[in-house]
Every structure is written in C-alpha cells, then in structure tokens.
Amino acid sequence: MKQLLAIKKENEDLERQVNKLNNILKFRNSIQVMLLFLFTGYITSSNAQERLTIEQGKPYVLKKVTVTGKVTYNEQTIVTFAGLEKGQTITVPGEEISNSIKKLWKLGLYNNVNYYVDKIEGDSISLELNLNELPKLKEVKIVGVKKGAVESLIKDNDLTPEKIVNENLLTTTKYYIENKYKKEGYYNTKVNIATEEDTATINHVNMVVNIDKGKKIKVKEIIVDGNSELTDNKVRNAMKKTKQKSVLNFLTFKSTKFIRDKYKEDLNLIVDKYKENGFRDARVISDTVTFDKERNKITIKLKIEEGKKYYFGNIDFLGNTVYTDQILSRYLGIKKGDIYNGVLLDKRIADKSKPDGEDLTNLYQNNGYLFSNINPVEVNTENNVIDLDIRIVEGPLAYFNKISVVGNDKTNDKVIYRELRTKPGEVYSKENLVRTIREIGQLGFFDAEAIKPDFENVDPAAGTVDIKYNVVEKGASQIELQGGYGGGGFIGTLGLSFNNFSIGNIFKKEAYKPLPMGDGQKLSLRLQASTYFQTYSFSFSEPWFGGKKPVQFSGSISYSKQFSNDFVRNQVDKSKSFNIFTVSLGLAKRLQKPDDFFVLSNALSYQHYDLNNYNVGLFTFGNGASRNLSYTIGLTRNNKGVNPIFPTYGSEFSITAKFTPPYSLFNGVDYANLQNQEEYKLKYDGTQPISVNAGKIDKGTPIKYDPAGSGYVKVDTYQEADANQPKIDQKKFNWLEYYKIKFKVDWYNKIYEKLTLRTLGEFGFMGAYNQDRGLVPFERFFLGGDGMANFSMDGRETIQLRGYPNNSLTPTVNNAQVGATVYNKFSLELRYPITLKQAASIYALTFVEGGAAFENFKGYNPFALKRSAGVGLRVFMPAFGLLGIDFAHGFDSIIPGGPKNGWETHFIIGQQF
C-alpha cells in the first residue's frame, strides 16, 4: 500500500511535492494518529493534498528502493545511477531525493521521474521509484528523397539504432532537414516525422521521415534601381550565385535558383564591385524579395545608393624600418591618382585568397616578421581624393621553435621531416610554411585537404612560435584489376602498387601489417596477359637514395612475349613470337638553383627485341634481333599543389631528351651502299614464287622480281639481283640509333572558388643521326584515344586525344600504321571537385583539345589539328587509384575527306590526363 507521503518530480522544475493522501493507515490508538499528524503538518481532510518544504523534512534511514514503471534496465543498475544506497540517512522531503532526481534526468533516458513513499517503519523508510523510460530507435525510414541522400541524412542526424528518441531529436532532425533543402533552393520543403511502436522489441520505435521538397524557387527577375555609374547587367553580374532567368544564363549553365545565404553574400559582392570602381560609400539601401506562389518564382528589387567616385591621393608608409618606401610602394602597386579600389587595397595589404600571394603582409611574414601588423588608415578625404597612411608595426623577428607532426600512424617520421621547409631555430617564413604543406601533400600518403598547421606557444616577447602539422593517413597501396576486350581477344591485368613501402624492414616479421610500410619507397608488380601476349614487370624507387639527400633511385625490369594472332579468325600461332626484355636504372636529383622545384633526372635503359618467324607486317624482317641502349636526361620544374589528385595552382614544365649511341659514326658500315653489296642481295631459298617465264632455279641463286610473270627469275650476276630488304633492315636496326626530344607544359589556375582551369601542351620529335640509316620503326608516337597502351610491342609511346579511337590519328603507309616521328597536342580542361574526402576524391570536368601526328618533320603543321570536346568524371580511391570516364566528340575525320568521327566513350584506369 502507498504510504501517507508521495514525492514527485515535475518536468518544469525540481520542486518536491507531497501528493494526495492515498490511504490512511489504521493505527492502534489515537496517540499514534496524533504523532503522524504532527509529522505531516496539518490535514484538512482524508483526501486533501499537502505541500511540505525542505525545512519541514524529517530524517529517515533508507531501507529499500523499489523500481516500477516502464523500464528495461535492471533495478540494481537504476538504483546505483540514482545515487541512493541502503542504510543511507535521507531527509523526506530533502536534498538527497532532489539530487537523485537530477541525476536520473541528466541521463536523458526518461521523460518522467517520480519518488513515492512505499512504507515507513519507525525511522526507516522504503521508497518507490517510478520511471517512464524513453523509447529507443529501432529503424528509420526516409521517403521523398533519393537513396544517396537518405544515407547522408541518417549520418548527419545520427539516427542510429538504439538512439534515444525524444522531442529534442525529432525537433532538431526536422529543423536540420528543412534548412538543408532550403539552402539548396527548396524553400517549400515540408518535413513530417512520425514514430510507431516496434512490436517485436520492448520499448523501441520505428521512425518514418516524410520529406516533401517541393520545387526549387527560381529567380524570375532582378530589378536594379538607383544606379547610374554601373549598368544593370554589371550589377547583376557582380552577383555570383544569384542569377535571373535569361537565355545567356541558360546557355552558360548558370543556375537561377534562389538560396538566401548565397543571396546575402551576393549583396556584399555588389558593394565590392562598386568599391572596385571608386565608389567607396556605395551600399544597397534596400532589397525586396517578392514570391509568386503560383509560378514558384521570385522577383528581387534592389535599391542602390552609389555615392561619389573617389581617387587615391597621397599614400604614406609609417613605421617601416626593414623595407624602404620604394619597395613597399612596388608591392602595393597603387599610385596617386588611381581610381579608388577598396577591394584591391585589401588584397595588396593581405590577400586572403592566396596564401602565397605577393602582398605587404607576406613580404614581412616571409622574412621573419610573424608579429607584424599592417593597417591602411584614411587620414584625409577632400575633393573626392583619399589620402592614406599605411601604418606598419613590424614587431620583432620570429623564429621557429618546436616543429612536430601528428597523425602519421603508418608513415615514419623521417619521411615527413625530411620534406619540411620549417626547421627549429630558423627565421619564421610563411612561404616556407605554405611550401611545407605542399610537400607533405605531394607525398601522396596523406589526405591533402586535411593537412593543417597549428600555431602553438606564440610568444612575441621571446620571438618564437611552435608549429604542429596535423596529417591524416590515407591508403597508399593500390590494386589494379582490369579486364577488357582489345586486339581481338580478352585482356586481363593485375597490378599491385605499394607507394609507401619499406624495403629496410622486409626481413622483420613484426613489420608485416600486412606488408612492411612507412619508408616512402614504391614497389610495383604488374601482370598483363591474353591469349596472344603476356607482360610481366617489376619496379622499385627510393626517393631519398642513401637517406641524406633528395636523390631518387629507380629501377625496373620487364618481359613481354607476343604471338602472331589472326584477329579475324581469332587464331593464335605460337610458332611466331616476338619477345621484349627491358631493364632500366635511373637517378633524379632535386636542384637548388634556379630554385628547388627543379629536378634533373638521368636514366639508362636497355631493350632486347627478339623476333622468331614473326612475319606479320610489323617490321620488314621476321627473324633476328634489335637492341636499344639509350640514355635519357630530363629537366622538370613542378610546383603544382597542394593536392596531387586535384591541383588548384602551380605548373609542371618538363623537357626530356633520349639518345642512343651514334653507332654509324664508328662501326664502319656504309648504310647507303648496303643494297649493292652481294651479302644483301636477294637469293632464292625455295620459298619465293617463281615466274612463269623462269626455268628451274637452284637455291642460293641471285634473283629479281618479274612483274610480267608474277614471280622471280634468276639473274646472271648478284649486281642484277633485287636487294634483300629484310636483311638490310636487320642490319640497319640491329642496334637502334635515334634521338627523341619531348616538351610538356601543364598549368593550373583557380578560376573561381574551386573551379580550376588546366592548360596542357605537348610536343615530341624523333630524329636520326644518319639519314642513310634512316629513322627506326621503333619508339614512335601513336596518337588518339584514351592514351592507355594495353601492350607495347615496339617501344611506342601512346598519346591520348579523346574523341577518336585508339591510335587512329597515327600516320599510315599503304593502310598500315607506321607511327609518327613528330606530334603536338593542346588541351584546355575545366575541373570542379564534387568531393575531395579521404575515402574518395571525385571531380567533374569538361574539355576541348586538339592534336596531330606526322610521319616526318617535312609534313609537320602545328595548326593542322584534329579537334574534340567533351565531358568526363574522375574518381580516385586509395585502393584502386584513378578511375574515370569521358564522353568526347571528334569534330574531324580520321581519313582525309571522310565524315567527322563523332562521339567516343573512353574509360580511364590508373592514369591522369
């Protein structure tokens, strides 16, 4: 039975109450009744409610707490959380119960907490704790949006199983979703959230979120009033994200949806536009947004006050001792009499959009003055002329103190620290700080977007600062698993690249997690095979050979075997084979002059081509061998940054030259006269067709071709015989002799926010030392398509040009591709990132490009381009590398006089254009 006193915690406050008398116990005598009355204060009737204050409470020894109500936790756990213990002295009413109620409320598990007196026995009291536990989330269902958006909404609102479902969760979820879609232009978004009890699980509910986004609100018209100095269109164009409906905006893919946050930013951009043109006092004095509910469109009316046009007057520098006024004036780039430009002034003081910009703040901070402060102050405004004081507080020189890196769980410290441009004890330099961020990002082992330098213990008095670089490891190893149909058969590829390998730990068992990693080395294994060819390759590189200087060592070895294949009948003849063995070694050194973005590279390579009865038209000879011993030297300057997957600034220039020894200068062979020598004359071997006009021909007899008889006839002397061209070519190309020059420029510029323009140009040329020996049929350029070479038969370089089939723009002789000895290519590509997160980097692109390839330099015309344009998508995942797809339209014909090529689809795997 319930006792006389009931203590309840209300939701609004934590005031203790004594509830209605539930039942009056029958006492043995009137004395006990009177004592009870004295304890309770007063009683108006047996059903009267009584309120007691804490001061009126009485101490009791807690005998027991019984838990009742809607609960899932066991009683002992709840009592423990409540903070009451058996044998504890409590006051009823009193602070102990009040504190216990507070503790239970803070858990956030209950929507009702009540204490009741269950029994009083002398100075002992038993309490009943009545709880109503909040339900937990079992499942959530979101309807009205796409599947991809559902996962994002669940994650953003933390709608995970076992989540406590209360009014706060429902309200914040609804508010978040409505505001999310309003920011995207869906101002009529309505969200309804319902919960229903899950009958299979105790005290669990299922949540259903119904989203009705409605239609996007578009801007019908932007009306500008009060402007006379800037036209309506200039004012509208100043607004980057708020555009009215027009044919031009439609053709240029500019959205006309209305997003209030972006609209507010655009109002500030209008003011900035005026400031750029001298109108310092310009402001938008009113803006009215009118909504047409029937058409779901809005009309914006802007009222502008332009003010006067100002000019720069005298500009004085105050407080400068390190740099002269002349140097500061040159960096400022503003002269007396120039039209006032407040936006330009701010950028020349400190350009926040360019961390490495040439402004006054960077001038000081790049040379140690971290604590410098530069403020432009208007000191006089007269006759529309503004005089400025550039007030400079230079402060003391600052030095780097402690430099640390955190977050590199896999990569060894030495790999990162050797790339740092900020060293303890050196003078502070913002330029070196920015460069360090780039160098860490270029390693490719960390999420480039998450590299963050923290300034710690900044001490102007001591002139020191600590820098802590925060990095986030990402997967550095990649697997390439590719299958496709090409060259008349199925081609399979398996590749493994370990880009942060540690060969020094290869014999340490504990380092295998699953492989030794962390030293920045690269190890690659690749296998490619089909029914008619096989290729095996292995490569290794160490970026700091010897561990002390940035000298990269690289080595590779590969073997390829190809059989004759009838693509029409799909028959492979393994008696006819073509084998290629390649080995190369290289060293690349980072230079210090002209600056340390330059790299000088050297490589020595050897290739052995072995032909066994391989008379398939690839070369004039089907038996024999060719050897290619070459030396390559290259000079590269690369300052692209920060993200190697999505650079937004910088460039890469490279020029390479590949040479073979000039054998013809010292081997004594008269290549111009080979065809006249008896050794290289054609002799009958029993396989040549005999002319109908010829009699019997013995083997070894000199012969020549007789067109009238459709065969060969014997001749009296070897001088009359035809030249044995395959044998001559075998002699000419026994040791390959050539040189190749290549030039490439790759430039990145941020156009607006994250929109980036890539400009690319390439040129390649191959020549011969000895014109009598001629150009080799190896090492040529093959233009067109996706740029991916499934297999390399003759050392060819595959150059991509989207919008055309693979290799289709390569010169031909008698309908057979012979490869180009000169080519050029130009490309413009706009890129925009969709996401640059660690798990996957995704960006969209659109491009125009053109290129051409020529058999020889005499026919070279840099303007006779095959043109194309298209769109594409790139996805970079650490485990698989770069994947992509392009849809390109070729505007020109592949063959002279033919139709334009039209649309092509290209799949990109493991390479970057």
Side-chain angles (χ1 to χ4, degrees), residues 633-651:
I633 184 170
L635 183 65
T636 302
R637 186 183 189 273
N638 182 357
N639 68 336
K640 296 185 298 187
V642 164
N643 192 335
I645 304 302
F646 191 83
T648 56
Y649 68 86
S651 60

Side-chain angles (χ1 to χ4, degrees), residues 4 24 32-43 50:
L4 173 67
I24 299 177
Q32 289 177 316
V33 174
M34 290 301 296
L35 290 174
L36 187 58
F37 281 1
L38 290 173
F39 166 68
T40 58
Y42 64 89
I43 296 178
E50 181 170 7

Side-chain angles (χ1 to χ4, degrees), residues 487-516:
F490 179 82
I491 301 173
T493 303
L494 174 62
L496 297 173
S497 295
F498 307 104
N499 296 327
N500 195 5
F501 194 70
S502 175
I503 198 168
N505 293 323
I506 198 169
F507 297 111
K508 296 180 181 179
K509 183 177 179 181
E510 64 275 11
Y512 283 78
K513 299 178 183 179
L515 289 170

